[in-house]
Amino acid sequence: MKEIKVALVGNPNCGKTSLFNTLTGLNQKVSNFPGTTVDKKVGHFTIDAEHKVKIIDLPGTYSLYPKSDDEAVTFYGLCSHENKDIPDVVLFIADASNLKRNLLLFTQVADLGYPVVFALNMIDLADRKGIEYNYGLLQSRLGVEIIPTNARKMKGLDRIKQAILSAHRSSTAPFFETTGLNQSMLEECKTYLSLNNSYSAVLWAHNQMLLFKDGEQLKKFKEILARNLFCEKKEQVEEIVARYRMIDIILKETSKRKASRNQISLSNRLDTIITHKYFGLSFFLLVLFVIFQAIFSLASYPMEWMEVGMNYFSNEVEHIIPGGTLNNLIVHGILAGLSGVIVFIPQIAILFFFITLLEDIGYMARVSFIMDKLMRSFGLNGKSVVPLISGMACAVPAIMSARNIENKQEKLITIMVIPLMSCSARLPVYTLLISMLVPETYLWGFLNMQGLILMGMYVLGFVTSLLSAWVFQKILKPAGNNYFIMEMPAFKIPMWRNVFLTIYEKCRSFVFEAGKIIVAISILLWALSSFAPAGEFEKLDAKYKELASAPTKSAEVLAAEYQSEKLEASYAGYFGKMIEPAIAPLGFNWKIGIALITSFAAREVFVGTMTTIYSASGDESDFSSIRLKMIEEINPLTHQPQYSLAVIASLLIFYAFAMQCMSTLAITYRETKSLKWTLLQLFYLTALAYLSSLLVFNFLK
Amino acid sequence: MKLSALAKGIEAVIVSIEDEDLSVKLYEMGCLPGEKVKVENIAPFGDPIAITVSGYKLCIRKQEATSVLIKLDISEGN
């Protein structure tokens, strides 16, 4: 069976993903292009008994003059001689309702000499706009086979498959004549790079920085260009103008514009409402409200099932495997880590359901549009809004969704500040601490004081994240193009297939990539709390053996106290005591120190750890027992309550700012591909938490 | 006159783009001299703006729109 390599190329928003999904179904793999965080989607399908196709979805671009990482990948995919997947055929997809701009890229690809199959998508939309094409004439003018498609209705797929077999180079003369350029330079470039296509020499000259990693080669190539007085910007502009002139002539001959029935399209009418000064903003708030509610309330059911399921599974495993360290490691290290991974899946799935849906119908472009100005003043982008808001549910999917931001610096700043948004894991910690801070009273008879403070914590997180973004913007030098030029695609009916495929893909990549790191750290934390310096546990065992032989307390109380002392004696307790001098200025003792260490697995572990330390009874949802024990504790030095107002406030602030989430760190590393930024995130958040707590504690003391 | 000063709903023709870096990007997006433009929407905070050009809708910031020179007389265009 012969394998044909096909590259799928087209503008953004022309239905490329839909066509890819329809052609390949679930038979696709997503990975990263080497050295980038750009998704590389590769799929397979068969044409007939002798031919199968490996299709690569290259990121959408408007031209072969790349301006972002994504676009550079497409350029590499078509032009780099180091690319092992250099396509045999290019499947070009274009939006028929907006053909002029789409043809710019087509003429570039055709001039590179690739055999092209031309899928003309969204004919129904063009029809509604009153645009009619003479397909026969268009076909002969473009010199390739044109296939009208509708990925939504699976129309044209068989013809595409057949056309791939018979694809040929564009039979017309080049759309852009390179004869008008500096010939001696082109010849020199062609010889130097051993090329036979003149237009690819032109593109290499324009994108030299992208093609040579090797300093010596780049230097020599630059010398050739400099000797020939090569002027990059000017020539790019001239080429684009020349191509559009040609496209205008072709389109004038091959298309007709009927007076369309309704002059103002439905999409345009929707836009006047959705981008309206007051209504547009209210509608956006409503959308956020729905997403937020869904993540909080809908996700809680499957999360509960998963927790129950995992607990049941852990219990079973605990009984099947013989007791001892191995059993302990599997149940409390590996399985606990695994359940920490899968418990996030419902939130990720629900968040991405909304994000993909809104992206698919075209609403996301409007969100960026209406919020851009506000976010820009903080060094962010209109597209940062959704990731930030999602951070209130969970920073993990929120950071994953920051991928849509093209500007590298704005994307980075967004990722850096997302963990400051109060996520749902902080909720149990806040609830416990706030209940110790104020009794359940009502202000003016109806405002719940605890609820008010809780809301204050959320507001604090939001404001701090904007301020931090502003600081980052001041420190970082503006990188790359700092403009906002974005197509606003017409509103479309969503393709559910796309939505569900994306959800599947996001969950899969979370489980397999961030999951690895989470499980590893979980095992480490398990080891810290289950091992102790030599002899410590033995001493403890002996002590409790004695106590058990002459019981003064019930067996349950003894067991709880044993667990508490065991944690104190373990390495976690050891480290808790070790960091005590560092956290004492914040009003924290070594018990809180242990909780700070263990809650690195997940913030809500704070409550569980405190319960173990104070050997309190009851599960995590019942705070009354642990609350009482903490309130009653007396500081042996001051003879005042250990948990004074100052300590609780300081602890609250610490949990609001500190980077205590290994999943977030793992996902930040995955998305930034940079250890430097991941560590910076850890350190700046920890420093912010430390200093703020220090201030609060000393102010209230 | 500059595109940033064009009132909503009025049609105009692009004359030229002053900023060379920006012109490559705007040209490839179909904002070419001689092309008709119209401001369709203005974002709630007054910036960016959405324009129709080359048969589709494009968002740009006011800052970028100041580099686009236009004329109101559309009859001379193509």
Side-chain angles (χ1 to χ4, degrees):
Chain A
M1 211 173 190
K2 196 180 164 243
E3 188 181 74
I4 307 171
K5 283 182 196 149
V6 174
L8 183 57
V9 178
N11 281 188
N13 306 308
C14 68
K16 206 159 61 66
T17 312
S18 306
L19 182 64
F20 182 80
N21 287 343
T22 322
L23 281 169
T24 61
L26 268 176
N27 200 356
Q28 50 174 280
K29 261 202 193 117
V30 185
S31 57
N32 285 334
F33 284 99
T36 68
T37 50
V38 180
D39 275 342
K40 177 184 187 176
K41 289 208 262 179
V42 179
H44 295 271
F45 59 90
T46 49
I47 296 178
D48 53 32
E50 281 106 60
H51 300 91
K52 61 177 181 179
V53 169
K54 176 182 178 184
I55 183 166
I56 301 169
D57 186 12
L58 292 175
T61 180
Y62 296 103
S63 76
L64 290 179
Y65 293 130
K67 287 160 197 71
S68 69
D69 282 0
D70 280 37
E71 294 178 356
V73 162
T74 304
F75 176 74
Y76 273 121
L78 293 176
C79 300
S80 170
H81 58 150
E82 284 162 15
N83 177 9
K84 275 177 260 121
D85 286 328
I86 258 320
D88 305 311
V89 176
V90 169
L91 174 53
F92 188 85
I93 174 163
D95 173 358
S97 72
N98 182 15
L99 195 55
K100 179 172 168 177
R101 202 200 56 218
N102 284 257
L103 283 182
L104 175 71
L105 179 63
F106 165 76
T107 62
Q108 285 188 304
V109 173
D111 284 354
L112 280 175
Y114 280 110
V116 179
V117 175
F118 195 111
L120 191 59
N121 204 19
M122 302 191 185
I123 304 238
D124 45 338
L125 207 63
D127 204 43
R128 245 176 288 149
K129 267 185 155 179
I131 306 170
E132 243 175 34
Y133 294 103
N134 179 339
Y135 292 117
L137 202 55
L138 189 61
Q139 206 155 270
S140 71
R141 285 289 179 272
L142 298 183
V144 292
E145 184 171 358
I146 291 177
I147 301 152
T149 51
N150 186 336
R152 200 176 295 276
K153 292 179 183 149
M154 318 272 268
K155 240 176 74 183
L157 294 188
D158 288 332
R159 275 192 64 192
I160 286 179
K161 290 181 183 175
Q162 288 312 312
I164 287 173
L165 288 182
S166 58
H168 54 81
R169 288 155 181 257
S170 170
S171 50
T172 63
F175 293 95
F176 173 68
E177 288 294 351
T178 50
T179 46
L181 302 175
N182 184 335
Q183 287 307 306
S184 66
M185 181 191 89
L186 281 187
E187 284 313 315
E188 251 185 281
C189 290
K190 277 164 77 174
T191 331
Y192 183 66
L193 304 165
S194 50
L195 300 168
N196 38 29
N197 179 297
S198 293
Y199 186 57
S200 86
V202 174
L203 283 178
W204 282 58
H206 282 296
N207 299 297
Q208 7 146 336
M209 299 300 282
L210 291 171
L211 285 162
F212 296 110
K213 287 172 203 96
D214 172 19
E216 196 51 39
Q217 243 188 330
L218 180 62
K219 217 175 108 196
K220 272 191 196 149
F221 192 60
K222 276 189 161 167
E223 273 165 24
I224 299 179
L225 299 179
R227 212 181 316 126
N228 289 288
L229 306 169
F230 176 67
C231 178
E232 203 177 306
K233 286 268 149 44
K234 190 173 137 270
E235 295 202 10
Q236 282 185 21
V237 166
E238 279 168 6
E239 184 195 319
I240 293 172
V241 171
R243 284 186 188 277
Y244 268 124
R245 205 175 297 137
M246 184 87 183
I247 292 166
D248 269 335
I249 295 170
I250 294 173
L251 283 179
K252 225 168 235 171
E253 286 176 348
T254 57
S255 69
K256 262 198 312 219
R257 236 196 155 93
K258 297 179 292 186
S260 63
R261 273 153 296 168
N262 43 348
Q263 273 296 314
I264 303 166
S265 69
L266 180 65
S267 182
N268 261 343
R269 263 181 286 172
L270 273 174
D271 266 340
T272 46
I273 304 170
I274 272 169
T275 64
H276 184 266
K277 209 168 186 167
Y278 305 112
F279 187 80
L281 285 176
S282 332
F283 182 74
F284 175 54
L285 287 179
L286 181 74
V287 170
L288 285 183
F289 178 78
V290 171
I291 297 179
F292 202 19
Q293 283 295 312
I295 293 174
F296 252 126
S297 54
L298 274 184
S300 65
Y301 299 104
M303 279 167 87
E304 218 164 274
W305 302 332
M306 285 186 170
E307 247 166 278
V308 171
M310 273 312 278
N311 280 343
Y312 175 78
F313 185 65
S314 300
N315 271 334
E316 288 297 300
V317 171
E318 197 167 7
H319 288 114
I320 292 168
I321 304 174
T325 312
L326 179 69
N327 178 315
N328 213 328
L329 168 70
I330 290 173
V331 175
H332 297 288
I334 298 173
L335 284 181
L338 269 182
S339 76
V341 174
I342 65 163
V343 84
F344 283 114
I345 291 176
Q347 287 191 338
I348 293 179
I350 292 176
L351 180 66
F352 277 99
F353 169 75
F354 283 105
I355 289 182
T356 320
L357 183 67
L358 294 178
E359 184 88 54
D360 216 42
I361 62 175
Y363 184 65
M364 276 314 188
R366 273 80 186 171
V367 171
S368 308
F369 179 67
I370 62 178
M371 295 304 288
D372 180 66
K373 187 167 184 198
L374 190 68
M375 301 316 279
R376 206 190 323 159
S377 46
F378 295 103
L380 301 168
N381 179 297
K383 293 186 178 176
S384 312
V385 177
V386 174
L388 280 181
I389 300 292
S390 317
M392 285 193 176
C394 176
V396 172
I399 288 175
M400 285 162 80
S401 68
R403 236 185 235 186
N404 295 343
I405 306 168
E406 286 102 358
N407 181 302
K408 265 192 250 170
Q409 183 177 326
E410 289 166 341
K411 176 178 144 189
L412 188 63
I413 296 180
T414 308
I415 291 178
M416 294 303 278
V417 304
I418 281 175
L420 283 166
M421 303 297 285
S422 279
C423 67
S424 54
R426 287 176 173 103
L427 203 57
V429 183
Y430 286 168
T431 316
L432 171 66
L433 292 174
I434 292 174
S435 75
M436 289 167 64
L437 203 60
V438 289
E440 201 164 350
T441 48
Y442 286 84
L443 195 65
W444 302 316
F446 67 96
L447 277 177
N448 181 319
M449 268 308 284
Q450 296 187 341
L452 221 54
I453 297 179
L454 184 64
M455 203 179 94
M457 296 307 294
Y458 278 90
V459 173
L460 178 72
F462 183 67
V463 172
T464 317
S465 71
L466 287 186
L467 291 178
S468 311
W470 185 82
V471 173
F472 271 114
Q473 170 209 237
K474 290 282 161 204
I475 298 170
L476 294 169
K477 287 179 217 100
N481 306 318
N482 204 13
Y483 53 67
F484 181 80
I485 296 173
M486 179 191 76
E487 179 183 357
M488 200 135 117
F491 279 108
K492 284 191 292 271
I493 298 165
M495 257 189 72
W496 298 105
R497 199 187 162 89
N498 281 351
V499 175
F500 290 111
L501 271 171
T502 310
I503 295 174
Y504 167 77
E505 184 39 49
K506 295 287 173 189
C507 294
R508 200 194 65 88
S509 73
F510 169 73
V511 169
F512 288 101
E513 294 183 42
K516 276 185 256 174
I517 307 177
I518 298 175
V519 170
I521 300 181
S522 169
I523 292 172
L524 180 73
L525 286 173
W526 164 81
L528 280 181
S529 51
S530 355
F531 293 103
E536 292 290 331
F537 281 171
E538 287 73 10
K539 262 190 265 169
L540 213 59
D541 285 342
K543 177 181 162 192
Y544 274 86
K545 212 171 208 173
E546 209 169 286
L547 283 174
S549 59
T552 48
K553 295 172 186 165
S554 76
E556 262 172 52
V557 174
L558 270 182
E561 283 181 3
Y562 173 68
Q563 286 304 327
S564 164
E565 284 199 41
K566 200 174 162 195
L567 188 58
E568 187 186 340
S570 73
Y571 282 107
Y574 181 74
F575 285 119
K577 283 180 181 160
M578 202 168 81
I579 64 168
E580 194 174 20
I583 55 173
L586 313 183
F588 303 163
N589 57 12
W590 64 267
K591 294 180 184 174
I592 299 178
I594 296 179
L596 292 187
I597 291 172
T598 55
S599 49
F600 192 67
R603 292 180 177 90
E604 69 267 29
V605 171
F606 173 82
V607 180
T609 308
M610 287 314 242
T611 310
T612 312
I613 294 174
Y614 285 94
S615 52
S617 59
D619 56 60
E620 283 176 31
S621 57
D622 179 20
F623 294 144
S624 52
S625 154
I626 167 72
R627 211 186 117 227
L628 270 178
K629 291 214 172 186
M630 284 171 72
I631 289 177
E632 282 167 1
E633 191 182 23
I634 299 292
N635 185 326
L637 293 173
T638 58
H639 302 292
Q640 296 291 316
Q642 173 73 45
Y643 291 90
S644 62
L645 174 78
V647 173
I648 299 174
S650 161
L651 203 49
L652 263 179
I653 296 293
F654 193 86
Y655 269 83
F657 296 155
M659 180 52 156
Q660 290 163 296
C661 178
M662 58 179 180
S663 317
T664 304
L665 279 180
I667 207 78
T668 297
Y669 179 67
R670 194 185 108 81
E671 292 297 313
T672 58
K673 286 265 155 35
S674 150
L675 197 60
K676 182 183 114 192
W677 287 105
T678 312
L679 289 176
L680 183 70
Q681 188 180 49
L682 174 66
F683 286 126
Y684 105 87
L685 287 170
T686 311
L688 180 67
Y690 190 88
L691 293 176
S692 316
S693 289
L694 188 70
L695 255 156
V696 166
F697 179 67
N698 284 295
F699 186 70
L700 291 175
K701 196 168 66 175
Chain B
M1 121 179 237
K2 289 171 173 172
L3 178 59
S4 50
L6 186 64
K8 197 169 146 179
I10 312 285
E11 215 166 55
V13 171
I14 297 177
V15 178
S16 65
I17 291 167
E18 285 183 317
D19 185 310
E20 200 184 36
D21 285 337
L22 213 55
S23 64
V24 179
K25 177 69 187 170
L26 284 172
Y27 276 16
E28 75 174 40
M29 297 302 282
C31 295
L32 298 148
E35 203 65 51
K36 284 179 192 165
V37 281
K38 188 163 112 185
V39 177
E40 294 279 353
N41 309 98
I42 298 170
F45 300 106
D47 190 17
I49 57 173
I51 57 172
T52 333
V53 68
S54 288
Y56 79 105
K57 221 175 207 181
L58 183 72
C59 306
I60 60 174
R61 285 179 181 161
K62 280 251 170 87
Q63 174 65 36
E64 282 108 49
T66 53
S67 311
V68 182
L69 294 185
I70 52 165
K71 59 177 180 186
L72 285 175
D73 186 6
I74 59 172
S75 55
E76 282 175 43
N78 49 342

